[in-house]
Amino acid sequence: MNYVLATVLQFNQGKNSVIIKARGKSISKAVDVAEITKNRFLQDAVEVSNVTIGTETLTGGEGGERNVSLIEITLKRTS
Amino acid sequence: MNYVLATVLQFNQGKNSVIIKARGKSISKAVDVAEITKNRFLQDAVEVSNVTIGTETLTGGEGGERNVSLIEITLKRTS
């Protein structure tokens, strides 16, 4: 919920777009943040302009590598 | 992992595109399935052509309503 408020705040401060990023299990939370912002707080004022998914390779302390999925959701002010 | 194999199977059977859908906490799993299929099994053969997010309202047995986020990822054969 704090992320929703942070997103709303960015728009209220005049930003025209906000990118919500998350990795791994938090990906579903990022989608929730985007949807709640769009549907409950800023209806008809913002829209999802782009969604990108990808993979990031994290290197552990002992040289091990681990792939983690990521998402980037761009919310844009409707014109 | 079974979902990855199911997706690979669809392409191997000749499909030109596969849509991976998930709701709620499974959303991150859907992204994993798309990324693993694309990066490990069908490199350079498929690409993410579209990602859509949305909200679905589930109605409970006693008339209660609950919103749940959803994602749809379209994988497409590269031409």
Side-chain angles (χ1 to χ4, degrees), chain B residues 4-18 77:
Chain B
V4 175
L5 296 180
T7 306
V8 172
L9 190 64
Q10 292 292 313
F11 281 111
N12 284 348
Q13 286 176 343
K15 297 280 196 309
N16 282 316
S17 70
V18 174
R77 200 184 290 275

Side-chain angles (χ1 to χ4, degrees), chain A residues 2-78:
Chain A
N2 282 329
Y3 291 110
V4 175
L5 296 179
T7 305
V8 172
L9 190 65
Q10 292 291 314
F11 281 111
N12 285 348
Q13 287 176 343
K15 297 282 197 309
N16 283 316
S17 69
V18 174
I19 302 179
I20 301 162
K21 300 182 186 187
R23 290 195 300 209
K25 284 188 182 158
S26 303
I27 286 176
S28 59
K29 208 177 288 179
V31 177
D32 287 341
V33 170
E35 286 295 308
I36 293 171
T37 302
K38 178 170 71 77
N39 295 333
R40 203 174 307 168
F41 287 89
L42 299 169
Q43 300 101 322
D44 303 323
V46 304
E47 62 189 6
V48 175
S49 73
N50 194 39
V51 183
T52 309
I53 60 173
T55 301
E56 198 167 348
T57 302
L58 300 178
T59 310
E62 297 173 12
E65 288 195 345
R66 209 161 57 82
N67 288 325
V68 62
S69 297
L70 57 90
I71 196 167
E72 295 191 10
I73 303 168
T74 307
L75 287 179
K76 199 184 66 177
R77 201 184 289 276
T78 53

